[in-house]
Amino acid sequence: QLQLQESGPGLVKPSETLSLTCTVSGGSISSSPHYWVWIRQPPGKGLEWIGSIYYRGSTYYNPSLKSRLTISVDTSKNHFSLTLSSVTAADTAVYFCARKNRRDADDAFDIWGQGTMVTVSS
Amino acid sequence: EIVLTQSPGTLSLSPGERATLSCRASQSVSNRYLAWYQQKPGQAPRLLIYGASSRATGIPDRFSGSGSGTEFTLIISRLEPEDFAVYYCQQLGSFGGGTKVEIK
């Protein structure tokens, strides 16, 4: 059974860089044709798609975050990562990783990690 | 960018009642990419419906989705206690603002 697990610091200082990793277990991150995505949710608010990556490295970013965002993949470690630079309090959120199922769920996000809370504060 | 607007913001109903949730897109979207999720406090969202009307694996048949173009609907035919949660629609990189289904 495929599982996703986010990891990374829970506290980041303003203007610094937020870095998170999503480890895929129970299956391969190189499983075609799926994409791997990051989604976030500020406290008490709705969901925001951050961006996605294919195991070969092609990426799609939310235009509102694109200038600060990098998503990468490491197939040897079966994980993908997010870095968001120059963070502010507005980046405080629960960050989820998920699988975008392109085979039999019409591009929906069918498997999610449990989420990790990241607070931006000095 | 497509904007998804969900209504109502909050739905107050009793167990056993029928819930009708709406998702309106700012422009016509493909049915294929319209999905619905359920989220309970402290949990990750769970995929309910994909392709506007297909139930995801393990989702009870009291959940149904329909619609096309700019208007989509999620119906919960008879609310069970575990169905009280927040529901989101999603199309590619856009999420709706959510509808909270609460116990009346």
Side-chain angles (χ1 to χ4, degrees), chain B residues 4 8 25-27 40 43 75 102:
Chain B
L4 299 177
S26 58
Q27 57 187 276
K40 297 179 181 179
Q43 297 184 17
I75 291 177
E102 66 175 22

Side-chain angles (χ1 to χ4, degrees), chain A residues 41 104-107 109 112-113, chain B residues 32-33 37 39 44-45 50-51 88:
Chain A
Q41 185 172 39
D104 49 17
D106 290 341
D107 283 19
F109 309 136
W112 294 65
Chain B
R32 179 180 174 186
Y33 301 119
Y37 301 84
Q39 187 179 32
Y50 64 90
Y88 294 95

Side-chain angles (χ1 to χ4, degrees), chain A residues 77-112:
Chain A
K77 296 181 179 178
N78 222 36
H79 75 207
F80 63 107
S81 301
L82 170 153
T83 60
L84 186 66
S85 63
S86 304
V87 297
T88 70
D91 295 309
T92 293
V94 176
Y95 285 75
F96 296 100
C97 59
R99 182 180 79 170
K100 178 180 178 179
N101 187 329
R102 306 204 72 203
R103 179 184 299 127
D104 49 17
D106 290 341
D107 283 19
F109 309 136
D110 66 337
I111 300 174
W112 294 65

Side-chain angles (χ1 to χ4, degrees), chain B residues 10-85:
Chain B
T10 302
L11 201 50
S12 298
L13 295 168
S14 300
E17 290 194 297
R18 177 186 179 94
T20 302
L21 287 67
S22 174
C23 176
R24 175 174 293 176
S26 58
Q27 57 187 276
S28 184
V29 302
S30 169
N31 287 16
R32 179 180 174 186
Y33 301 119
L34 197 287
W36 290 92
Y37 301 84
Q38 176 194 68
Q39 187 179 32
K40 297 179 181 179
Q43 297 184 17
R46 175 175 71 145
L47 176 65
L48 298 175
I49 300 287
Y50 64 90
S53 60
S54 298
R55 273 187 298 277
T57 303
I59 301 304
D61 61 6
R62 65 180 180 274
F63 291 92
S64 63
S66 63
S68 64
T70 61
E71 300 283 345
F72 297 88
T73 301
L74 174 70
I75 291 177
I76 311 170
S77 59
R78 296 171 308 279
L79 283 164
E80 297 288 340
E82 62 268 27
D83 299 337
F84 292 92

Side-chain angles (χ1 to χ4, degrees), chain A residues 2-90:
Chain A
L2 193 76
Q3 293 185 314
L4 283 66
Q5 178 68 58
E6 306 89 349
S7 60
L11 181 64
V12 182
K13 290 183 167 56
S15 79
E16 295 191 343
T17 296
L18 181 162
S19 297
L20 296 173
T21 294
C22 179
T23 300
V24 179
S25 60
S28 173
I29 201 168
S30 302
S31 174
S32 176
H34 305 310
Y35 275 66
W36 304 94
V37 305
W38 287 100
I39 293 158
R40 69 181 182 180
Q41 185 172 39
K45 296 188 177 180
L47 300 164
E48 179 183 31
W49 174 77
I50 297 172
S52 58
I53 191 165
Y54 190 52
Y55 78 94
R56 291 183 177 175
S58 54
T59 53
Y60 299 87
Y61 294 159
N62 185 323
S64 69
L65 299 171
K66 187 174 183 177
S67 64
R68 301 191 289 129
L69 180 63
T70 301
I71 298 177
S72 59
V73 62
D74 188 332
T75 55
S76 67
K77 296 181 179 178
N78 222 36
H79 75 207
F80 63 107
S81 301
L82 170 153
T83 60
L84 186 66
S85 63
S86 304
V87 297
T88 70

